[in-house]
Amino acid sequence: MNYQKLKGTVDILPDESEKWQVVEQQARAILSNYQFKEIRTPLFEKFDLFARGVGETSDIVSKEMYDFKDKGDRHIALRPEGTAGVVRAYVENKLYAPEYHKPMKLYYIGSMFRYERPQSGRQRQFNQVGVEVFGSKNPAVDVETMALAMDLFKSFGIEDLKLVINSLGDAESRLKYREALIAYLEPHFDELSNDSKERLYKNPLRVLDSKDKKDKVLVADAPSVLDFLNEKSKQHFEAVKEMLEDLSIPYEIDKNMVRGLDYYNDTIFEVMTTHPKFGANATICAGGRYDSLVEEVGGPETPAFGFGFGIERLLILLDFMNYNYPKVSTIDAYVVTIGEKVNKAATKLTQYLRQNNLSVEREFMNRKPGKQFKTADKWDAEFVFTMGEDELNENRVTIKALKSGQQTDIDLGELYSNFEATFKEVESRLMKKGE
Ligand code: ATP
Ligand code: MG
């Protein structure tokens, strides 16, 4: 039998997974500076949660869901995005209760699933880092969260970045805009793509997001939602822009930008890369305000703001930039074994060193000593412990500092009775000599 991974999935092999660790650790550090706390929700939920939360007319729900009936005949879906599950958890666990700090700032890191045509930067299982802030309508939340997204990307030295914002207004503003948009598009009904025809009356804003070429041309001259904002939404948007300027965060306004998910209102944004090699999937992060979703999912009225970014697309960008990843795995010592008789003693020594917090590998394959030293060198080990039959008989081990080339013997009895005194002393002596 010859098994292959499913289309749109990838194996992340060790060299690659170290990059993931760097990205995730750095993201966690910055998120923690901004006082976001991690939440982990299930990878699958009721289909209805996504249908309701993400929106029936969205591409995600209408075309891209990995949904199935389980053995109990429940209609289930693998999560296509993170927000719906986090909102469900927020409501179900009553995280809005008075004992919790407001706003509640949560983040997640994990896999999402969408049935899409696989291509570069587009997989069927992919990974997102996302944040959600619950409980504040303060435009400073919008700004802080967008600043966080920009900080995350800048922390990797990414310069080719563009923050693009728009406002969808509140429900009242959008209702007026909806009418105007339908009035503009109706005369062109026959020219619209089938998807857009279907969406025109259900959710005309979605037509603005169409990827169809002809739709795009039609939509270019459509009225902008910005011209329909009521006073409240205008003020909110003005405050957001002002604070971005105060922070010297450059932004562009795309007055016809909408988001692929149904639940947004007021501020929405995308972070795009302008890196010349990036091409079509230039959006690396997207999000915005969603003040009605918590209620929609059964909770109390709770304003919210969030974003999600794709880790795969960030990694592609970092590769284009030849990003210099810091080393994740380092090794303190390699235990070289000479002859099969020392196998047991090497096991004991290796475990002892690890128990004293050293990162250690030992020889298992009984290769020639030269080969073993080569490995230690290649892995950049600080020390090599050599254990041969002579050493074994004399209850000692040779230790060599690879950088200085210095070596000495350690009595195993002494090492095992007092690691601090024995190893630390030898360590500082060998390192010094090399200077
Ligand atoms: P697109 O227009 O590229 O399909 P989207 O609107 O579907 O994007 P969101 O749902 O807003 O994207 O997801 C946020 C981010 O998640 C995207 O900016 C991207 O980095 C990443 N992303 C979305 N879909 C995929 C996918 N199939 N494979 C890899 N990353 C993805
Ligand atoms: Mg998509």
Side-chain angles (χ1 to χ4, degrees):
M1 209 32 165
N2 190 356
Y3 292 110
Q4 287 179 334
K5 61 183 174 299
L6 289 171
K7 230 173 138 175
T9 66
V10 295
D11 298 315
I12 300 170
L13 303 177
D15 277 348
E16 195 65 19
S17 68
E18 291 207 348
K19 297 181 179 175
W20 283 76
Q21 288 178 33
V22 168
V23 166
E24 286 171 7
Q25 274 163 22
Q26 195 154 312
R28 282 178 197 282
I30 292 170
L31 286 160
S32 142
N33 281 349
Y34 277 78
Q35 286 299 313
F36 279 77
K37 310 275 193 252
E38 188 181 15
I39 181 164
R40 301 189 189 204
T41 64
L43 291 186
F44 55 90
E45 302 265 3
K46 276 190 185 148
F47 176 88
D48 289 347
L49 173 69
F50 300 116
R52 201 67 193 283
V54 180
E56 312 261 5
T57 60
S58 63
D59 275 352
I60 291 181
V61 172
S62 60
K63 294 180 192 157
E64 299 170 359
M65 289 277 259
Y66 264 99
D67 64 321
F68 57 96
K69 290 277 175 74
D70 76 358
K71 292 192 189 345
D73 210 31
R74 298 170 193 91
H75 193 187
I76 282 172
L78 302 184
R79 63 180 186 192
E81 54 92 53
T83 303
V86 173
V87 169
R88 197 259 319 127
Y90 178 82
V91 172
E92 186 172 345
N93 297 286
K94 299 193 171 57
L95 299 184
Y96 48 78
E99 65 256 41
Y100 295 108
H101 182 72
K102 265 197 183 65
M104 173 149 291
K105 299 175 20 171
L106 302 171
Y107 80 89
Y108 57 84
I109 301 182
S111 284
M112 308 296 157
F113 305 84
R114 295 185 195 177
Y115 196 81
E116 299 200 68
R117 199 169 62 77
Q119 51 185 289
S120 166
R122 206 173 279 289
Q123 294 165 194
R124 291 183 172 171
Q125 177 176 355
F126 63 101
N127 292 274
Q128 282 186 345
V129 174
V131 310
E132 319 290 351
V133 181
F134 294 106
S136 170
K137 257 190 109 55
N138 189 339
V141 164
D142 310 27
V143 171
E144 173 184 284
T145 312
M146 291 190 279
L148 161 63
M150 295 304 277
D151 267 2
L152 276 164
F153 295 119
K154 279 189 197 143
S155 76
F156 295 97
I158 305 173
E159 309 235 312
D160 309 302
L161 284 181
K162 210 163 79 172
L163 173 65
V164 185
I165 64 171
N166 194 18
S167 170
L168 298 178
D170 60 6
E172 186 191 273
S173 312
R174 259 201 326 283
L175 212 61
K176 280 204 194 119
Y177 174 58
R178 198 190 127 93
E179 281 165 24
L181 192 57
I182 293 178
Y184 169 83
L185 289 170
E186 244 173 357
H188 305 285
F189 188 84
D190 292 336
E191 302 156 60
L192 289 172
S193 69
N194 287 336
D195 274 348
S196 293
K197 277 182 181 137
E198 191 158 320
R199 286 163 174 169
L200 180 59
Y201 297 101
K202 280 194 204 156
N203 192 348
L205 266 71
R206 171 99 37 233
V207 178
L208 298 180
D209 206 21
S210 171
K211 285 175 180 135
D212 181 89
K213 269 196 198 128
K214 268 172 80 187
D215 286 353
K216 279 188 172 172
V217 175
L218 279 176
V219 150
D221 295 322
S224 163
V225 61
L226 287 182
D227 298 325
F228 293 81
L229 299 188
N230 61 18
E231 209 39 51
K232 230 167 94 195
S233 284
K234 240 186 233 165
Q235 270 175 23
H236 188 92
F237 198 43
E238 287 307 315
V240 166
K241 290 190 287 186
E242 244 170 60
M243 280 186 265
L244 284 173
E245 281 153 29
D246 283 346
L247 294 178
S248 307
I249 300 176
Y251 63 86
E252 279 174 26
I253 298 174
D254 177 349
K255 64 186 177 57
N256 280 338
M257 178 168 79
V258 294
R259 296 286 321 123
L261 291 71
D262 272 351
Y263 46 63
Y264 288 110
N265 64 275
D266 288 293
T267 320
I268 55 169
F269 77 100
E270 290 189 359
V271 180
M272 303 179 79
T273 166
T274 51
H275 193 284
K277 282 201 203 156
F278 220 77
N281 298 321
T283 302
I284 49 176
C285 175
R289 182 162 277 287
Y290 53 98
D291 291 342
S292 51
L293 184 61
V294 175
E295 247 183 309
E296 185 81 17
V297 172
E301 193 186 337
T302 308
F305 194 97
F307 69 69
F309 74 81
I311 302 181
E312 284 80 2
R313 284 192 203 169
L314 172 58
L315 290 171
I316 293 173
L317 180 57
L318 293 178
D319 278 349
F320 283 154
M321 291 165 43
N322 292 318
Y323 181 70
N324 192 10
Y325 286 90
K327 239 190 175 154
V328 175
S329 80
T330 55
I331 175 167
D332 296 312
Y334 196 92
V335 176
V336 165
T337 67
I338 305 172
E340 290 186 15
K341 284 195 184 133
V342 304
N343 200 29
K344 256 171 79 176
T347 304
K348 185 177 171 187
L349 174 64
T350 304
Q351 283 307 95
Y352 180 75
L353 296 173
R354 288 176 183 151
Q355 255 116 50
N356 283 286
N357 279 325
L358 296 190
S359 152
V360 187
E361 183 53 297
R362 55 156 287 180
E363 177 68 13
F364 285 107
M365 309 312 290
N366 209 12
R367 292 173 301 163
K368 293 205 170 81
K371 285 241 160 90
Q372 300 185 40
F373 265 91
K374 254 198 193 127
T375 300
D377 230 12
K378 200 169 103 193
W379 291 4
D380 220 8
E382 207 74 56
F383 297 102
V384 171
F385 287 81
T386 302
M387 193 161 262
E389 281 177 30
D390 289 349
E391 284 88 351
L392 185 63
N393 291 335
E394 291 158 26
N395 201 34
R396 62 181 170 84
V397 66
T398 310
I399 174 173
K400 180 173 182 181
L402 287 188
K403 272 201 200 89
S404 66
Q406 300 292 323
Q407 72 174 54
T408 188
D409 279 357
I410 302 182
D411 182 88
L412 283 174
E414 279 171 32
L415 183 68
Y416 290 154
S417 66
N418 193 341
F419 177 80
E420 286 297 320
T422 322
F423 179 73
K424 297 283 155 146
E425 186 273 322
V426 167
E427 182 183 30
S428 64
R429 186 150 49 91
L430 292 184
M431 306 278 246
K432 253 189 216 130
K433 273 192 189 165
E435 278 172 4

